[in-house]
């Protein structure tokens, strides 16, 4: 079994009309055994920037701690929050530093940039950025997620419709993947508010 | 074949561990205490390589004590868990420890807590957790009978159910277990469950 599939994970980020949504599954497993059904994969960097980390849970935790540290230092020096594009470049650099001994994570970065324009991107475990205008996916269920998102996505969705779409795409994909699932965690971010919702899916 | 498991009840956390020290096919002793009292209100139940288990948990214990000496106040359970994870994570890509840990603790402000820390430094706060082959039986038994805010009697009853299950279904089941509890009055040994007494037997 690949080290990326040791803990199991599923992540999506989708762009809407002046808003974005980021969603993850909630399972923490050790290969075939489920340890917890309330594992947090999406972290808030600041009010308009969210980071999802799929892959090996220990590296996701370490990487998150390192990135929060770097962002806090940036906030102290610059007296402002990082733009999503800048943060994506930071994540890419941090990952490439470990090119020959990498963190086994695939990050998904989603944020609201200048003029409330949503920004999403993903990268592989050594920092190769993949910018997209519509959606990005990561995790053990990524192939199913690509298919589901491609079928369900429409451009310029409002927040409520975006929430429905991302939730359906997540749940239908993780239901076909034994290593991810046990519900979902969905964040929908608009310029004015952040809405966090827990999904109940097939609890297996 | 090392079995470690634990759960959180109403105002307390209980952990149980087998007490066999095994080397290949030989049982060195059957009264090896694998649950270390970290400080007045914390327990570390560890399983894994015997050398690493003792060295690592003693290292954590001494550092937790040092913090208390330096700062005049004890670490919270969450802080101790995160420190332990940090040490495991730092060593992971240099000189990894093969130790799985269940850290149980009681804080006056936040009550009882149980942290699952596996050997690759995955940290998660849980209500019930288990390691080893015994986890296949104890986790399922706990899933069936556990509910939040159990009393001490109910929790010990559940621990006994798990021990019975392990003894009857695990092929090389350990004969003896130790149960330790931590609540507002501190961390202490609760009971032993022995089927084989490890004393200098008086022969006929």
């Amino acid at each position: 079994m690949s080290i990326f599939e040791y803990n199991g994970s599923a992540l999506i980020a989708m762009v809407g009309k002046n808003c974005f949504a980021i969603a993850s599954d909630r399972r923490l497993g050790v290969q075939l055994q489920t340890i917890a059904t309330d594992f947090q994969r999406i972290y808030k960097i600041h009010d308009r920037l969210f980071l999802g980390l799929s892959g090996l849970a220990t590296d996701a935790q370490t990487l998150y701690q390192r990135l929060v540290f770097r962002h806090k230092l940036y906030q102290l020096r610059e007296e402002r929050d990082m733009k999503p594009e800048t943060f994506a470049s930071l994540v890419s650099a941090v990952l490439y530093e470990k090119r020959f001994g990498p963190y086994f994570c695939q990050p998904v970065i989603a944020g609201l940039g200048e003029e409330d324009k949503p920004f999403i991107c993903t990268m592989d475990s050594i920092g190769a950025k993949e910018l997209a205008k519509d959606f990005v996916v990561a995790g053990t269920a990524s192939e199913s997620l690509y298919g589901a998102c491609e079928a369900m996505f429409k451009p310029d969705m409002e927040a409520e419709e975006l929430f429905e779409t991302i939730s359906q795409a997540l749940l239908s994909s993780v239901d076909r993947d034994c290593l991810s699932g046990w519900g979902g965690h969905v964040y929908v971010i608009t310029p004015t508010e952040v809405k966090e919702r827990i999904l109940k899916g097939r609890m297996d | 074949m090392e079995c470690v498991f634990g759960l959180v009840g109403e105002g307390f956390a209980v952990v149980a561990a087998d007490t066999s020290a095994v080397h290949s096919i030989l049982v060195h002793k059957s009264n090896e205490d694998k649950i270390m009292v970290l400080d007045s209100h914390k327990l570390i139940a560890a399983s894994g390589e015997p050398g690493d288990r003792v060295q690592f948990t003693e290292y954590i214990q001494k550092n937790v004590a040092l913090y208390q000496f330096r700062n005049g106040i004890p670490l919270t359970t969450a802080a101790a868990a995160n420190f332990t994870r940090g040490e495991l994570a730092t060593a992971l890509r240099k000189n990894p420890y093969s130790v799985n840990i269940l850290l149980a603790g009681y804080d006056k402000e936040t009550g009882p807590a149980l942290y699952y820390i596996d050997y690759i430094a995955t940290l998660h706060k849980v209500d019930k957790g288990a390691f080893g082959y015994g986890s296949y039986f104890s986790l399922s038994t706990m899933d069936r009978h556990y509910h939040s805010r159990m009393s001490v009697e109910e929790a010990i009853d559940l621990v006994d159910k798990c021990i019975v299950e392990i003894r009857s279904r695990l092929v090389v089941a350990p004969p003896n277990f130790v149960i330790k509890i931590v609540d507002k009055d501190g961390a202490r040994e609760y009971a032993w469950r022995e089927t084989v007494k490890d004393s200098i037997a008086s022969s006929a």
Side-chain angles (χ1 to χ4, degrees), chain A residues 12-81:
Chain A
I12 318 181
M14 254 191 207
V15 165
K17 197 177 172 70
N18 288 337
C19 64
F20 69 89
I22 182 165
S24 76
D25 74 319
R26 306 188 79 203
R27 179 181 181 269
L28 173 70
V30 171
Q31 296 188 305
L32 59 98
Q33 190 179 60
T34 300
I35 299 299
T37 55
D38 58 356
F39 189 66
Q40 177 98 347
R41 260 183 199 97
I42 298 174
Y43 303 98
K44 187 175 95 159
I45 303 293
H46 61 75
D47 279 329
R48 292 153 65 95
L49 179 56
F50 283 73
L51 169 71
L53 286 164
S54 71
L56 194 64
T58 176
D59 281 350
Q61 288 174 332
T62 305
L63 195 56
Y64 162 68
Q65 287 173 347
R66 284 193 64 191
L67 290 167
V68 153
F69 167 72
R70 296 290 298 264
H71 182 255
K72 281 184 176 174
L73 267 180
Y74 182 95
Q75 275 180 323
L76 285 172
R77 288 189 182 124
E78 301 262 331
E79 294 178 358
R80 63 182 179 90
D81 292 329

Side-chain angles (χ1 to χ4, degrees), chain A residues 6 28 30 32-33 35-36 38-39 56-59 61-62 65 101-104, chain B residues 82 85 89 92-93 116 118-126 128 130 135-136 139:
Chain A
Y6 187 75
L28 173 70
V30 171
L32 59 98
Q33 190 179 60
I35 299 299
D38 58 356
F39 189 66
L56 194 64
T58 176
D59 281 350
Q61 288 174 332
T62 305
Q65 287 173 347
Y103 291 114
F104 299 109
Chain B
N82 275 288
R85 185 209 107 82
L92 181 63
R93 283 174 157 89
Y116 171 103
D118 82 0
Y119 74 103
I120 47 172
T122 310
L123 170 71
H124 194 59
K125 185 170 183 299
V126 292
K128 47 183 157 32
S135 68
Y136 292 117
L139 273 179

Side-chain angles (χ1 to χ4, degrees), chain A:
Chain A
M1 194 187 249
S2 150
I3 190 72
F4 288 98
E5 293 163 11
Y6 187 75
N7 293 122
S9 53
L11 272 174
I12 318 181
M14 254 191 207
V15 165
K17 197 177 172 70
N18 288 337
C19 64
F20 69 89
I22 182 165
S24 76
D25 74 319
R26 306 188 79 203
R27 179 181 181 269
L28 173 70
V30 171
Q31 296 188 305
L32 59 98
Q33 190 179 60
T34 300
I35 299 299
T37 55
D38 58 356
F39 189 66
Q40 177 98 347
R41 260 183 199 97
I42 298 174
Y43 303 98
K44 187 175 95 159
I45 303 293
H46 61 75
D47 279 329
R48 292 153 65 95
L49 179 56
F50 283 73
L51 169 71
L53 286 164
S54 71
L56 194 64
T58 176
D59 281 350
Q61 288 174 332
T62 305
L63 195 56
Y64 162 68
Q65 287 173 347
R66 284 193 64 191
L67 290 167
V68 153
F69 167 72
R70 296 290 298 264
H71 182 255
K72 281 184 176 174
L73 267 180
Y74 182 95
Q75 275 180 323
L76 285 172
R77 288 189 182 124
E78 301 262 331
E79 294 178 358
R80 63 182 179 90
D81 292 329
M82 248 192 210
K83 280 190 259 181
E85 296 85 356
T86 317
F87 187 73
S89 296
L90 171 65
V91 177
S92 175
V94 165
L95 289 173
Y96 197 79
E97 265 176 1
K98 304 279 183 194
R99 171 64 179 82
F100 299 107
Y103 291 114
F104 299 109
C105 288
Q106 235 192 320
V108 163
I109 294 147
L112 282 176
E114 310 266 274
E115 282 140 39
D116 299 337
K117 191 166 180 305
F119 169 88
I120 53 169
C121 96
T122 185
M123 52 193 84
D124 69 3
S125 59
I126 48 174
K129 261 187 285 189
E130 193 193 300
L131 305 167
K133 292 196 171 53
D134 40 15
F135 57 85
V136 290
V137 302
T140 48
S142 56
E143 280 124 354
S144 292
L145 284 165
Y146 273 123
C149 288
E150 198 67 70
M152 298 186 197
F153 181 81
K154 288 194 325 270
D156 289 327
M157 284 185 278
E158 295 291 341
E160 281 310 311
E161 202 193 344
L162 184 64
F163 165 69
E164 285 298 330
T165 309
I166 201 174
S167 305
Q168 293 292 358
L170 178 71
L171 288 178
S172 58
S173 308
V174 304
D175 284 350
R176 281 288 184 183
D177 177 23
C178 54
L179 296 174
S180 54
W182 280 95
H185 218 128
V186 186
Y187 293 82
V188 180
I189 293 93
T190 58
T192 46
E193 64 166 355
V194 170
K195 239 196 180 134
E196 181 187 339
R197 279 177 270 229
I198 309 267
L199 301 173
K200 189 166 178 187
R202 274 187 69 110
M203 301 308 227
D204 62 2

Side-chain angles (χ1 to χ4, degrees), chain B residues 151-167:
Chain B
S151 68
V152 179
E153 293 73 31
E154 286 175 312
I156 297 299
D157 193 55
L158 178 50
V159 166
D160 281 326
K161 280 197 174 75
C162 293
I163 292 174
V164 161
E165 200 60 35
I166 291 169
R167 279 197 180 132

